[in-house]
Amino acid sequence: MGAFHGMSLGSLSITSNNSMRESAGVSLDNVTFIPFNSTFNGMDTILYMEQLLTDTHSGVEKPAAIILETVQAEGGINIADTEWLRDLRQLCNDHDILLIIDDIQVGCGRVGSFFSFERAGIVPDMVVLSKSISGYGLPMSLLLLKPELDIWGPGEHNGTFRGNQLAFVAAKAALEFRDTVGLEAQVKEKEAFVQQFLREQIQTMDPLIAIRGLGLIWGIDVSHQGEAFAKEVATLCFKNGLIIERAGRNDTVIKIMPALTISLENLRKGCNIIKESMVQVSSTLVAL
Ligand SMILES: Cc1ncc(COP(=O)(O)O)c(C=O)c1O
């Protein structure tokens, strides 16, 4: 629940946003959605899955795989606890279920380490990568899988945009660049800046604002102020020169996701635009 995996039919079937699912135009079957993270309204979600898998009257068939984002990005920057990720890996081992991590948005160094699941010390059976894997948004995506799971014949899964040579060259250069400039350390430094800025400059504006993030993906959760507030802030940011996306339930999480190579100066500028926009929208609403 809260997952976004894409808009093609297979991906949409494992995406939980109901309004997006409606765009399929056909029924999306064979998927069971489970609450994200260790507890959900007090429920132990691992125990819940264990019960679904072992109760012969659960009505749920054993799945081929469990797929998740370790940080739900479009879902509102929801961060899975490392212990939950390890328990989930164990649950998959115990029941012979494949664990697939969708690292399309939070892989490739977004949270600091190259893969987002490294912080939990787990090894998935399959990993999906795309977006910045080619370094600059060139068309490229990868499915990493354990060799024993590779049952594809050569060219069996083909298509027009497969094997884009320019993207392959760019991806190799991007991986080398990552090491040359020490991108992981850079992300850690910028993470510290954003975290401090959000704690000191944003959270202090209103104790009900929740701040969540890792590396260079952060969310300002203003769900208590509602969708109109979040939309106004994003609109004002845009007028002030900053493109910012909204995520989460009712689009009430303002999402900070700069290029990993952003300068500290630009990062500070962007954060200040968010702060000024939030102050301005709050004061307009008070005046109304
Ligand atoms: C986590 C995640 N998975 C999948 C996708 C979709 O990827 P694609 O556009 O390559 O289908 C996205 C796109 O935003 C994403 O964030």
Side-chain angles (χ1 to χ4, degrees):
M1 287 160 65
F4 179 77
H5 296 292
M7 296 300 287
S8 56
L9 279 186
S11 312
L12 202 52
S13 71
I14 48 173
T15 291
S16 69
N17 184 326
N18 287 336
S19 68
M20 281 174 174
R21 293 173 67 80
E22 280 164 15
S23 66
V26 295
S27 62
L28 299 167
D29 300 326
N30 296 324
V31 178
T32 305
F33 288 90
I34 302 288
F36 186 73
N37 217 354
S38 46
T39 53
F40 181 81
N41 288 339
M43 178 211 294
D44 178 334
T45 57
I46 295 287
L47 191 62
Y48 176 61
M49 283 183 261
E50 191 70 50
Q51 284 172 354
L52 287 183
L53 291 165
T54 49
D55 183 350
T56 53
H57 283 233
S58 70
V60 175
E61 283 176 57
K62 188 176 99 166
I66 292 179
I67 180 164
L68 74 150
E69 302 156 83
T70 67
V71 178
Q72 289 185 335
E74 300 306 302
I77 327 300
N78 307 313
I79 303 169
D81 301 333
T82 49
E83 199 181 331
W84 184 69
L85 289 169
R86 284 191 285 272
D87 289 347
L88 196 57
R89 175 67 274 186
Q90 189 59 47
L91 181 102
C92 288
N93 290 349
D94 293 347
H95 293 277
D96 197 21
I97 297 169
L98 298 178
L99 181 65
I100 308 176
I101 300 291
D102 178 346
D103 244 0
I104 287 182
Q105 192 157 159
V106 295
C108 302
R110 176 56 53 185
V111 301
S113 55
F114 186 80
F115 294 110
S116 73
F117 47 83
E118 289 179 48
R119 69 192 167 92
I122 58 166
V123 180
D125 299 297
M126 297 187 188
V127 181
V128 195
L129 289 174
S130 186
K131 296 211 188 289
S132 53
I133 183 65
S134 68
Y136 197 63
L138 293 169
M140 180 165 172
S141 52
L142 291 176
L143 169 65
L144 309 179
L145 72 170
K146 291 184 172 167
E148 63 270 27
L149 300 173
D150 185 3
I151 56 164
W152 296 101
E156 192 177 341
H157 193 266
N158 61 6
T160 307
F161 297 113
R162 308 297 200 278
N164 184 294
Q165 288 90 342
L166 180 60
F168 287 2
V169 173
K172 183 169 177 283
L175 288 173
E176 286 162 4
F177 177 79
R178 180 182 158 76
D179 288 338
T180 315
V181 302
L183 202 57
E184 185 162 346
Q186 274 194 37
V187 170
K188 286 282 162 215
E189 189 191 349
K190 293 167 196 171
E191 171 187 50
F193 169 79
V194 178
Q195 186 170 31
Q196 189 178 1
F197 185 94
L198 295 180
R199 291 239 167 99
E200 291 176 3
Q201 308 282 329
I202 302 289
Q203 207 156 31
T204 46
M205 288 167 62
D206 178 346
L208 293 178
I209 292 175
I211 302 293
R212 295 186 292 274
L214 268 183
L216 277 180
I217 179 163
W218 286 83
I220 305 171
D221 187 333
V222 292
S223 46
H224 65 294
Q225 282 160 305
E227 190 173 357
F229 178 86
K231 190 174 179 191
E232 271 305 300
V233 171
T235 305
L236 202 54
C237 283
F238 185 69
K239 282 186 189 148
N240 291 328
L242 177 73
I243 296 175
I244 198 134
E245 200 196 358
R246 291 180 294 133
R249 270 72 167 181
N250 303 315
D251 288 335
T252 50
V253 180
I254 296 161
K255 183 177 170 203
I256 300 173
M257 195 172 169
L260 304 185
T261 50
I262 192 172
S263 66
L264 258 180
E265 188 196 345
N266 273 343
L267 190 57
R268 185 175 294 115
K269 243 192 227 171
C271 286
N272 278 324
I273 293 177
I274 297 171
K275 182 187 169 185
E276 283 153 22
S277 305
M278 287 181 71
V279 168
Q280 204 172 323
V281 176
S282 300
S283 59
T284 316
L285 288 180
V286 170
L288 285 175

